[in-house]
Amino acid sequence: MPEATTPLAATIDDFETARGVEADSLWAHAVSLSLLTRDVDEAQVRGALADALALVAETGESPEELFGEPREHADALYETWRSEGLLQLDPAILRWREVPASGLGFAAFFALLFPLVLLIGRETTMRWTVGTVLLPVALGLGVVGAATAWASWSRRGAIVGAVGTGALVLGLATGVALVMYGSQDHPFATAGTWWFLVVAAVCALLSTIWRRWLDAHNATTAPPVADADEWARRLAGILRAKLLLPEERVSAIVADARAHATESGRSLQEEFGTPEQYAARFRPDVARRGRMVALLYAVLAGFYVVMLLDGFSWAYLGLVLVLGALAVGELRRSRRAGVR
């Protein structure tokens, strides 16, 4: 559970005290996570949970009995807000200064998986190198770095975003491979695989420290709109980076907005509000997002398949299985989203 350091986290914790049932706060956390991963503004998420909390406290019934499964309730809220024009997207785009916090969190996740995979091969000890320690960190930072690269560079165009993100992933993977090959003949210790748990704990601690630094040095990320061209560029960037819409759809939306503003004789800002407000009218392409994330996982898995061909390693095999499973999971979710 998240610490109650923000209004949203405090509201989530209040679910547990409302009926004295921990599962209620887990339900609220799952709802918030589902909405936040769709870039819904945190204040709007908190408002919806506060309404649900009031009803839970009034009736004494569980939130699941009142509202259904967390994902179902999140879907219903999102669709209601979107159809009624009330959806508020988080105006912040992923920033490079946030990569260490989120990336190290993912690194902790991968580091926790490694000893489990190695146990399948009954490997309880291993030769520790610089590359061994670097691997989960590079994976975590690579996944978040790729998402940030797309969010940042796709604002300049889909091709720029795709080429830049691909180059970043390829460069990082190549760098990690060189470090691992270069250090494999120079181990600094032979120790138990459980030391990955220590790596995970260190990554989680550093992630928390960085996150608190970000909270203490929060910076605005949505500068004022200077003119119509800037408004259109920002709208296009949000549609590509946040909603993952294809380029032809982005171009059509921007052109339509310009045409309406010209016809009305008003500026784009006067006619539609901020780019974030106008973008909230459109449904994100969840299926396309899932396919793009699955492709990222598949590329990383393919890279470690190549490394396996050079020499068998339970660690590499585990990475292929984990990344492959993540890719399949994303594809399944994208297909379900495409059916809805």
Side-chain angles (χ1 to χ4, degrees):
M1 292 298 300
E3 295 182 24
T5 55
T6 65
L8 175 59
T11 301
I12 291 173
D13 286 345
D14 287 342
F15 272 82
E16 182 174 348
T17 59
R19 296 194 315 134
V21 179
E22 183 180 1
D24 290 356
S25 63
L26 295 175
W27 179 92
H29 183 255
V31 171
S32 68
L33 184 61
S34 180
L35 291 171
L36 291 174
T37 54
R38 290 182 244 187
D39 291 315
V40 179
D41 187 72
E42 185 175 310
Q44 187 168 33
V45 175
R46 178 177 177 269
L49 288 180
D51 292 340
L53 176 62
L55 192 57
V56 168
E58 179 183 344
T59 62
E61 297 183 51
S62 73
E64 193 159 330
E65 292 173 334
L66 292 169
F67 304 103
E69 294 287 336
R71 184 59 182 263
E72 293 176 0
H73 185 55
D75 289 345
L77 286 171
Y78 190 94
E79 185 56 32
T80 298
W81 291 333
R82 193 196 65 81
S83 61
E84 296 179 358
L86 300 175
L87 179 63
Q88 300 173 25
L89 293 178
D90 181 359
I93 295 291
L94 285 172
R95 298 170 295 177
W96 291 105
R97 67 200 298 264
E98 297 168 348
V99 169
S102 300
L104 288 169
F106 272 92
F109 166 74
F110 283 116
L112 287 173
L113 288 178
F114 281 8
L116 299 178
V117 172
L118 292 171
L119 283 176
I120 297 176
R122 298 181 180 180
E123 292 189 26
T124 56
T125 60
M126 61 183 297
R127 298 164 70 246
W128 284 82
T129 66
V130 172
T132 305
V133 178
L134 176 66
L135 188 56
V137 178
L139 279 172
L141 293 175
V143 170
V144 178
T148 305
W150 171 258
S152 177
W153 297 334
S154 65
R155 296 169 71 89
R156 304 175 187 177
I159 295 178
V160 173
V163 172
T165 303
L168 177 69
V169 172
L170 180 61
L172 180 62
T174 302
V176 172
L178 290 175
V179 172
M180 295 194 70
Y181 277 121
S183 63
Q184 64 183 356
D185 294 330
H186 305 284
F188 56 80
T190 298
T193 55
W194 63 269
W195 275 96
F196 273 116
L197 302 181
V198 177
V199 175
V202 171
C203 289
L205 176 61
L206 292 175
S207 174
T208 301
I209 292 173
W210 196 278
R211 182 75 63 189
R212 290 183 175 177
W213 181 85
L214 288 175
D215 291 341
H217 299 81
N218 192 25
T220 58
T221 57
V225 178
D227 52 33
D229 289 338
E230 174 61 24
W231 192 98
R233 279 193 296 269
R234 237 164 75 181
L235 173 62
I238 294 168
L239 295 175
R240 293 190 196 102
K242 285 186 174 293
L243 304 189
L244 274 296
L245 298 184
E247 192 62 23
E248 60 272 15
R249 177 76 170 132
V250 171
S251 299
I253 290 173
V254 173
D256 188 55
R258 284 184 179 275
H260 276 290
T262 301
E263 184 178 342
S264 67
R266 306 172 69 194
S267 70
L268 287 165
Q269 185 88 2
E270 292 170 338
E271 184 72 11
F272 302 112
T274 66
E276 291 78 16
Q277 290 170 332
Y278 188 60
R281 302 183 183 189
F282 302 96
R283 185 194 301 271
D285 193 335
V286 180
R288 186 167 183 261
R289 175 185 292 179
R291 291 193 297 270
M292 291 178 67
V293 175
L295 178 61
L296 171 62
Y297 287 136
V299 169
L300 291 173
F303 179 80
Y304 290 105
V305 168
V306 174
M307 296 186 72
L308 268 175
L309 296 176
D310 184 66
F312 181 81
S313 165
W314 281 103
Y316 293 157
L317 178 60
L319 282 171
V320 171
L321 294 176
V322 169
L323 291 168
L326 290 172
V328 171
E330 288 293 340
L331 279 177
R332 286 178 176 173
R333 280 190 288 272
S334 70
R335 287 172 182 169
R336 287 198 298 269
V339 171
R340 288 200 296 266

